[in-house]
Amino acid sequence: MSTSQDDLRAIALAEFASAGYVGTSLQRIAELAGLSKSSVLYHYGSKEQLLEAAIGPAVDRMEEILVPLNAVGLAAANRQEFLEEFVDFLLQYRLEVHMFINQGPALVDVPVIDRANAVIVRLAEFFSTHTSSVEEKARFGVALGGAAYMLSTARNLGLDAPPIDETRAALVTILSELLTPVRIP
């Protein structure tokens, strides 16, 4: 059975998320993939390139989510759509989000991590400038950060995951309720 580039990215992402980027060697990824290290390097010239391939699509997706947010804001009419997209993002990219949250601050000068950190800063700056009180800022931080942390760490804590549809519906409802009192012009 041959290992595709998609398989290799998935194996690398899982290992980066569990053992850490710094603690993961290309040799370990090769072993898990049933390949030689030179085969991994054939597809990806370095561990950094493999990390980019593994988490770059998640960073790209989050950047896409921010485009309309910056254009139309988060007035009540747009808030629900943003929350649904954000929850869908978290559900699709759990391991990548885990990397951003738990390893992002320690991996400065790794280009894809710098890009992910910049997206997170842009999101935080948006809420900082578009909310008027400390309470509103805290609501967004707790709601979005809490959802991200909960979904990205459940696997590491050995928690059984409820069905995706139930999780999605619950998160969208909870986030909506947490953010209902926030008034954004």
Side-chain angles (χ1 to χ4, degrees):
M1 180 177 137
S2 74
T3 302
S4 71
Q5 284 186 306
D6 288 340
D7 295 335
L8 192 54
R9 281 193 302 266
I11 290 165
L13 177 60
E15 192 63 15
F16 290 150
S18 65
Y21 175 73
V22 174
T24 300
S25 68
L26 284 176
Q27 182 61 45
R28 173 71 179 149
I29 293 168
E31 288 169 8
L32 292 170
L35 300 171
S36 67
K37 183 178 173 181
S38 62
S39 293
V40 173
L41 287 169
Y42 173 79
H43 293 290
Y44 300 99
S46 67
K47 186 167 81 165
E48 192 173 290
Q49 287 178 3
L50 185 52
L51 178 67
E52 170 67 45
I55 69 172
V59 178
D60 295 342
R61 179 64 186 123
M62 192 63 214
E63 288 174 331
E64 290 170 9
I65 291 171
L66 290 181
V67 169
L69 181 64
N70 288 318
V72 297
L74 263 185
N78 308 324
R79 186 176 305 174
Q80 193 66 25
E81 184 177 343
F82 168 76
L83 293 176
E84 289 176 13
E85 281 190 84
F86 186 76
V87 168
D88 289 342
F89 167 80
L90 294 176
L91 289 168
Q92 182 177 356
Y93 297 107
R94 288 181 195 208
L95 289 178
E96 294 89 338
V97 171
H98 174 77
M99 294 276 305
F100 305 160
I101 290 172
N102 294 304
Q103 297 181 50
L107 295 177
V108 178
D109 295 330
V110 175
V112 72
I113 297 295
D114 287 346
R115 202 162 56 95
N117 288 336
V119 169
I120 292 167
V121 167
R122 280 182 34 220
L123 184 62
E125 286 173 345
F126 175 85
F127 292 116
S128 180
T129 59
H130 289 84
T131 53
S132 58
S133 72
V134 171
E135 182 179 322
E136 290 174 342
K137 290 171 183 27
R139 281 183 183 277
F140 273 103
V142 168
L144 301 182
Y149 186 78
M150 181 198 87
L151 285 175
S152 69
T153 60
R155 180 176 148 222
N156 287 354
L157 298 174
L159 302 175
D160 291 332
I164 295 290
D165 291 346
E166 288 179 39
T167 301
R168 182 185 189 279
L171 280 174
V172 169
T173 298
I174 292 165
L175 292 175
S176 298
E177 289 171 358
L178 280 171
L179 300 175
T180 295
V182 177
R183 297 183 217 291
I184 296 179

